[in-house]
Coordinates of all heavy atoms in Angstrom, one line a residue:
Chain A
L581 N 6.8 5.1 -7.5 CA 7.4 6.5 -7.1 C 7.4 6.5 -5.5 O 8.3 7.1 -5.1 CB 6.3 7.5 -7.6 CG 6.9 8.9 -8.2 CD1 8.0 8.6 -9.2 CD2 5.9 9.6 -8.7
L582 N 6.4 6.1 -4.9 CA 6.3 6.2 -3.4 C 7.4 5.4 -2.9 O 8.1 5.7 -1.9 CB 5.0 5.7 -2.9 CG 3.8 6.6 -3.3 CD1 2.5 6.0 -2.8 CD2 3.9 8.0 -2.8
T583 N 7.6 4.2 -3.4 CA 8.7 3.3 -2.9 C 10.0 3.9 -3.0 O 10.8 3.8 -2.1 CB 8.7 1.9 -3.7 OG1 7.3 1.5 -3.8 CG2 9.4 0.9 -3.0
I584 N 10.4 4.4 -4.1 CA 11.6 5.0 -4.4 C 12.0 6.1 -3.5 O 13.0 6.3 -3.0 CB 11.7 5.4 -5.9 CG1 11.8 4.2 -6.8 CG2 12.7 6.4 -6.2 CD1 12.8 3.1 -6.2
A585 N 10.9 7.0 -3.3 CA 11.2 8.1 -2.4 C 11.5 7.6 -1.0 O 12.5 8.1 -0.4 CB 9.8 8.9 -2.3
S586 N 10.9 6.6 -0.5 CA 11.3 6.1 0.8 C 12.7 5.4 0.8 O 13.4 5.6 1.8 CB 10.3 5.1 1.4 OG 9.3 4.8 0.6
F587 N 13.0 4.8 -0.3 CA 14.2 4.1 -0.3 C 15.3 5.1 -0.3 O 16.4 5.0 0.4 CB 14.3 3.2 -1.7 CG 15.7 2.6 -1.9 CD1 16.0 1.4 -1.3 CD2 16.5 3.2 -2.7 CE1 17.2 0.8 -1.4 CE2 17.8 2.5 -2.8 CZ 18.1 1.3 -2.3
S588 N 15.1 6.2 -1.1 CA 16.2 7.2 -1.2 C 16.5 7.9 0.1 O 17.6 8.0 0.4 CB 15.6 8.2 -2.2 OG 16.5 9.3 -2.2
V589 N 15.5 8.3 0.9 CA 15.7 8.8 2.1 C 16.5 7.9 3.1 O 17.4 8.3 3.8 CB 14.4 9.3 2.8 CG1 14.7 10.1 4.1 CG2 13.7 10.2 1.9
H590 N 16.0 6.7 3.1 CA 16.6 5.6 3.9 C 18.1 5.6 3.8 O 18.8 5.6 4.7 CB 15.8 4.3 3.6 CG 16.3 3.1 4.3 ND1 15.6 2.5 5.3 CD2 17.4 2.4 4.3 CE1 16.2 1.6 5.8 NE2 17.3 1.4 5.2
D591 N 18.5 5.6 2.4 CA 19.9 5.4 2.1 C 20.6 6.6 2.5 O 21.7 6.5 3.0 CB 19.9 5.2 0.6 CG 21.2 4.4 0.2 OD1 21.5 3.4 0.7 OD2 21.9 5.0 -0.7
T592 N 20.1 7.8 2.3 CA 20.8 9.0 2.7 C 21.1 9.1 4.2 O 22.2 9.5 4.6 CB 20.0 10.3 2.3 OG1 19.6 10.1 0.9 CG2 20.7 11.6 2.5
V593 N 20.1 8.6 4.9 CA 20.3 8.7 6.3 C 21.4 7.8 6.9 O 22.2 8.3 7.8 CB 19.0 8.3 7.2 CG1 19.2 8.2 8.7 CG2 17.9 9.3 6.9
V594 N 21.7 6.8 6.2 CA 22.8 5.9 6.6 C 24.1 6.5 6.4 O 25.0 6.5 7.2 CB 22.7 4.5 5.8 CG1 23.9 3.7 6.1 CG2 21.5 3.7 6.2
V595 N 24.2 7.3 5.3 CA 25.4 8.1 5.0 C 25.7 9.2 6.0 O 26.7 9.4 6.6 CB 25.4 8.6 3.5 CG1 26.7 9.4 3.4 CG2 25.2 7.4 2.6
Y596 N 24.4 9.9 6.4 CA 24.5 10.9 7.3 C 25.0 10.4 8.8 O 25.8 11.1 9.5 CB 23.1 11.5 7.5 CG 22.7 12.5 6.5 CD1 23.5 12.9 5.5 CD2 21.4 13.1 6.7 CE1 23.0 13.7 4.6 CE2 20.9 14.0 5.8 CZ 21.8 14.4 4.7 OH 21.3 15.3 3.8
D597 N 24.5 9.3 9.0 CA 24.9 8.7 10.3 C 26.4 8.6 10.6 O 27.0 8.8 11.6 CB 24.2 7.4 10.6 CG 24.7 6.7 11.9 OD1 24.2 7.3 12.9 OD2 25.3 5.6 11.8
R598 N 27.0 8.2 9.4 CA 28.5 8.0 9.4 C 29.2 9.3 9.7 O 30.1 9.4 10.5 CB 29.0 7.6 8.0 CG 29.1 6.0 8.0 CD 30.1 5.7 9.0 NE 30.0 4.2 9.3 CZ 30.9 3.3 9.3 NH1 32.2 3.7 9.0 NH2 30.7 2.1 9.6
I599 N 28.7 10.4 9.1 CA 29.3 11.7 9.3 C 29.1 12.2 10.8 O 30.0 12.6 11.4 CB 28.6 12.7 8.4 CG1 28.8 12.3 6.9 CG2 29.0 14.2 8.7 CD1 28.1 13.2 5.9
R600 N 27.9 12.0 11.3 CA 27.5 12.3 12.7 C 28.5 11.6 13.7 O 29.1 12.2 14.5 CB 26.2 12.0 13.0 CG 25.8 12.2 14.5 CD 24.3 12.0 14.8 NE 23.8 10.7 14.3 CZ 22.6 10.3 14.4 NH1 21.6 11.2 14.7 NH2 22.3 9.1 14.0
E601 N 28.7 10.2 13.4 CA 29.5 9.5 14.1 C 31.0 9.9 14.2 O 31.8 10.1 15.1 CB 29.4 8.0 13.8 CG 30.1 7.0 14.7 CD 30.0 5.6 14.2 OE1 28.9 5.2 13.7 OE2 31.1 5.0 14.1
R602 N 31.5 10.2 13.0 CA 32.8 10.6 12.7 C 33.1 11.9 13.4 O 34.2 12.2 13.9 CB 33.2 10.6 11.3 CG 34.7 10.6 11.0 CD 35.0 10.5 9.6 NE 36.3 10.9 9.4 CZ 37.4 10.1 9.5 NH1 37.2 8.8 9.8 NH2 38.7 10.7 9.4
K603 N 32.1 12.9 13.3 CA 32.3 14.2 14.0 C 32.5 14.0 15.4 O 33.3 14.8 16.1 CB 31.1 15.0 13.7 CG 31.3 15.9 12.4 CD 30.1 16.6 11.9 CE 29.3 17.5 12.7 NZ 28.2 18.0 12.0
K604 N 31.9 13.1 16.1 CA 32.0 12.8 17.5 C 33.5 12.2 17.8 O 34.1 12.6 18.8 CB 30.9 11.8 18.0 CG 29.7 12.6 18.4 CD 28.7 11.6 19.0 CE 27.3 11.9 18.6 NZ 26.4 10.7 18.7
K605 N 33.8 11.3 16.9 CA 35.1 10.5 17.1 C 36.3 11.3 16.9 O 37.2 11.4 17.6 CB 35.0 9.3 16.3 CG 35.8 8.1 16.8 CD 35.5 6.8 16.1 CE 35.7 7.0 14.6 NZ 35.3 5.7 13.9
V606 N 36.3 12.1 15.7 CA 37.6 12.8 15.2 C 37.2 14.2 15.5 O 36.6 14.8 14.6 CB 37.9 12.4 13.8 CG1 39.2 13.1 13.4 CG2 37.8 11.0 13.5
L607 N 37.8 14.7 16.5 CA 37.5 16.2 16.8 C 38.3 17.0 15.9 O 39.5 16.7 15.5 CB 37.8 16.5 18.2 CG 37.0 15.7 19.2 CD1 37.4 15.8 20.7 CD2 35.4 16.0 19.1
R608 N 37.8 18.2 15.6 CA 38.5 19.4 15.0 C 38.9 18.9 13.5 O 39.9 19.4 13.0 CB 39.7 19.8 15.7 CG 39.3 20.9 16.7 CD 40.4 21.6 17.3 NE 40.2 21.6 18.8 CZ 41.0 21.1 19.6 NH1 42.0 20.4 19.3 NH2 40.7 21.1 20.9
E609 N 38.2 18.0 12.9 CA 38.4 17.7 11.5 C 37.5 18.7 10.7 O 36.4 18.8 11.0 CB 38.1 16.3 11.3 CG 38.5 15.9 9.9 CD 38.1 14.4 9.6 OE1 37.0 14.0 9.9 OE2 38.9 13.6 9.0
P610 N 38.0 19.2 9.6 CA 37.2 20.1 8.8 C 36.0 19.1 8.3 O 36.2 18.0 8.0 CB 38.1 20.6 7.6 CG 39.5 20.2 8.1 CD 39.5 19.2 9.2
M611 N 34.9 19.9 8.2 CA 33.7 19.2 7.6 C 33.9 18.5 6.3 O 33.5 17.3 6.1 CB 32.6 20.3 7.5 CG 31.2 19.7 7.2 SD 30.6 18.5 8.4 CE 29.0 18.1 7.5
S612 N 34.6 19.2 5.4 CA 34.9 18.6 4.0 C 35.7 17.3 4.1 O 35.4 16.3 3.4 CB 35.7 19.5 3.2 OG 36.8 19.9 3.8
E613 N 36.6 17.2 5.2 CA 37.4 15.9 5.3 C 36.5 14.7 5.9 O 36.6 13.7 5.5 CB 38.7 16.2 6.0 CG 39.7 16.7 5.2 CD 41.0 16.9 6.0 OE1 41.3 16.2 6.9 OE2 41.7 17.8 5.6
T614 N 35.6 15.3 6.8 CA 34.7 14.3 7.5 C 33.9 13.6 6.3 O 33.7 12.4 6.4 CB 33.8 15.0 8.5 OG1 34.7 15.8 9.4 CG2 33.1 14.0 9.3
I615 N 33.4 14.5 5.5 CA 32.5 14.0 4.5 C 33.2 13.0 3.6 O 32.8 11.9 3.3 CB 31.8 15.1 3.7 CG1 30.9 15.9 4.6 CG2 31.1 14.6 2.4 CD1 30.2 17.0 4.0
D616 N 34.4 13.3 3.1 CA 35.2 12.5 2.2 C 35.4 11.1 3.0 O 35.2 10.1 2.3 CB 36.5 13.1 1.9 CG 36.3 14.3 0.9 OD1 35.3 14.3 0.2 OD2 37.1 15.2 0.8
A617 N 35.9 11.2 4.1 CA 36.1 10.0 4.9 C 34.9 9.1 5.0 O 34.9 7.9 4.8 CB 36.7 10.2 6.2
S618 N 33.8 9.8 5.4 CA 32.5 8.9 5.5 C 32.1 8.3 4.3 O 31.5 7.2 4.2 CB 31.4 9.9 6.0 OG 31.8 10.5 7.2
V619 N 32.3 8.9 3.1 CA 32.0 8.4 1.8 C 32.7 7.0 1.6 O 32.1 6.1 1.3 CB 32.2 9.4 0.7 CG1 32.1 8.5 -0.7 CG2 31.4 10.4 0.7

Side-chain angles (χ1 to χ4, degrees):
Chain A
L581 217 54
L582 295 175
T583 312
I584 284 321
S586 5
F587 177 83
S588 174
V589 185
H590 182 104
D591 205 48
T592 308
V593 173
V594 173
V595 182
Y596 278 1
D597 175 68
R598 263 303 158 128
I599 298 174
R600 173 173 60 185
E601 190 186 307
R602 196 177 162 87
K603 263 165 64 179
K604 273 186 215 151
K605 207 166 57 183
V606 188
L607 297 171
R608 275 191 230 118
E609 187 181 43
M611 185 62 177
S612 55
E613 276 178 39
T614 311
I615 289 178
D616 288 336
S618 307
V619 169

